[in-house]
Amino acid sequence: MQNFFGINVKTLEKTYSPFITRSVSKEISLKQDEAEQRLYSAEKAIQLPLWLKIIQLICLFVAVCTLCGALKAIGNAIGNEEPFAQAWARFVENGIIWIIAAGLICLAIFVALQIRSFLLKKSSVQSPAFNEVLTENEKIQKRSYEELGVPEDADAIDVFTHPFKINKKGKILNGNPFAKYININVKIFKYNDYLFFADTSDLIKIPLSSVLTATAVNKRVNFYGWNKERPFNAQEFKPYKIMANNMGTMFIKSYYSLTVLSNGEETEIIIPAYEKDILIKYVTVI
């Protein structure tokens, strides 16, 4: 089933275009682009360069392989009731000391880069320049929502969008190399018999009669982007078993799927499981 919030990365066509009832002006759109570019540059400045991230991943891989391999070999020797001194002498003769040393060095490099990344983010986020960029971005967002007519009491909710591309055979492929979904935060509210979603560009109006089902799906999916103030590994998010790798790709064990009838075809709105309390205010979840 195609994602309702799908975007063709080549044509920039939005699958939800038929439901857009209002869009921001060109003036606001240009200000958004400028603010997003400044925010992107600021966030990029507080991250390790890509080449260091690659080195960090390689070091972690080497450390795990070498150290786990050495421990497994020693464990097998002990399990076979070979005297430890004899087994160790054999391992030393075969160069296990160098293997363990290489593993420990790689592990140390990984930890050092992890600490470097943490300190870089901590110092940059606390800087006045970075906070000024965030404040300006928030002001532009507020103006966008006002122009779209989003009520002030509208809830904010995370939604998984799907950037995609279509190959020559007409098959839909993922458009993002790091994760299938991109996690965006939108406004949600209900008026009369319509359910509304709003990002900072468009107001999407969906007749409640078109929302066929809202179902909990126990399936692990990957996504990119975290929008909450609290980190993903905070206690409140523990039940959802969210994980992340060193490239920023995140994983969650479940989500909610809202089936929407669009032009005679069914599409789905995918909402992460941690948004259940907000979701049930607007739709009935099965």
Side-chain angles (χ1 to χ4, degrees):
M1 192 185 305
Q2 190 172 7
N3 192 310
F4 179 87
F5 284 101
I7 300 177
N8 188 318
V9 295
K10 291 185 177 180
T11 65
L12 299 182
E13 181 183 359
K14 303 171 181 177
T15 57
Y16 55 91
S17 291
F19 293 90
I20 295 177
T21 187
R22 191 180 304 164
S23 298
V24 295
S25 63
K26 286 186 177 181
E27 177 190 356
I28 293 295
S29 182
L30 288 173
K31 289 182 180 294
Q32 285 178 358
D33 292 341
E34 293 171 358
E36 287 174 3
Q37 184 58 47
R38 287 195 296 270
L39 183 60
Y40 172 78
S41 299
E43 289 178 339
K44 189 176 181 180
I46 66 175
Q47 297 177 2
L48 289 176
L50 180 59
W51 66 273
L52 276 182
K53 288 183 178 181
I54 293 173
I55 290 176
Q56 188 179 27
L57 284 175
I58 293 173
C59 286
L60 178 61
F61 177 76
V62 173
V64 170
C65 289
T66 54
L67 296 178
C68 288
L71 289 174
K72 183 179 180 181
I74 294 172
N76 289 337
I78 295 174
N80 292 331
E81 298 182 355
E82 181 181 1
F84 179 78
Q86 180 180 330
W88 182 252
R90 178 165 56 83
F91 289 141
V92 170
E93 185 178 347
N94 291 332
I96 196 172
I97 296 296
W98 296 108
I99 294 174
I100 293 176
L104 291 175
I105 291 172
C106 286
L107 182 62
I109 294 173
F110 171 80
V111 172
L113 289 175
Q114 196 74 2
I115 293 173
R116 170 60 178 164
S117 177
F118 173 78
L119 293 177
L120 186 63
K121 289 180 180 179
K122 184 177 180 180
S123 61
S124 298
V125 168
Q126 292 175 347
S127 70
F130 185 83
N131 282 284
E132 183 180 343
V133 172
L134 288 178
T135 301
E136 182 62 26
N137 195 59
E138 290 172 359
K139 288 180 180 178
I140 297 298
Q141 286 186 351
K142 185 177 180 181
R143 286 188 60 186
S144 300
Y145 289 135
E146 289 175 351
E147 193 171 90
L148 291 172
V150 177
E152 292 186 2
D153 60 350
D155 287 305
I157 189 170
D158 282 355
V159 171
F160 287 170
T161 65
H162 182 215
F164 67 90
K165 54 186 177 181
I166 301 176
N167 64 13
K168 294 181 180 178
K169 296 181 180 180
K171 184 178 180 181
I172 296 177
L173 305 175
N174 291 336
N176 185 288
F178 298 106
K180 181 175 181 178
Y181 300 116
I182 301 296
N183 187 16
I184 65 169
N185 190 256
V186 300
K187 295 291 186 179
I188 182 174
F189 63 98
K190 189 162 57 175
Y191 183 74
N192 291 335
D193 294 325
Y194 293 92
L195 181 66
F196 291 86
F197 289 93
D199 57 18
T200 55
S201 298
D202 303 306
L203 180 67
I204 299 104
K205 181 180 181 181
I206 306 173
L208 286 171
S209 58
S210 295
V211 182
L212 304 181
T213 60
T215 311
V217 180
N218 188 23
K219 180 181 178 181
R220 191 168 183 257
V221 294
N222 60 68
F223 63 97
Y224 195 81
W226 184 252
N227 306 310
K228 302 299 183 183
E229 291 185 4
R230 299 268 290 165
F232 73 91
N233 55 0
Q235 187 60 41
E236 63 196 276
F237 300 113
K238 292 290 185 184
Y240 310 106
K241 298 182 179 179
I242 304 170
M243 297 184 294
N245 63 24
N246 200 52
M247 297 302 291
T249 303
M250 308 186 76
F251 306 85
I252 189 169
K253 70 171 186 175
S254 58
Y255 60 89
Y256 291 95
S257 173
L258 277 65
T259 303
V260 178
L261 189 64
S262 173
N263 295 326
E265 296 183 0
E266 292 184 0
T267 58
E268 65 175 341
I269 298 174
I270 299 178
I271 295 175
Y274 56 80
E275 297 287 27
K276 180 181 178 180
D277 290 344
I278 293 177
L279 183 62
I280 60 178
K281 293 169 62 175
Y282 298 95
V283 296
T284 301
V285 177
I286 300 175

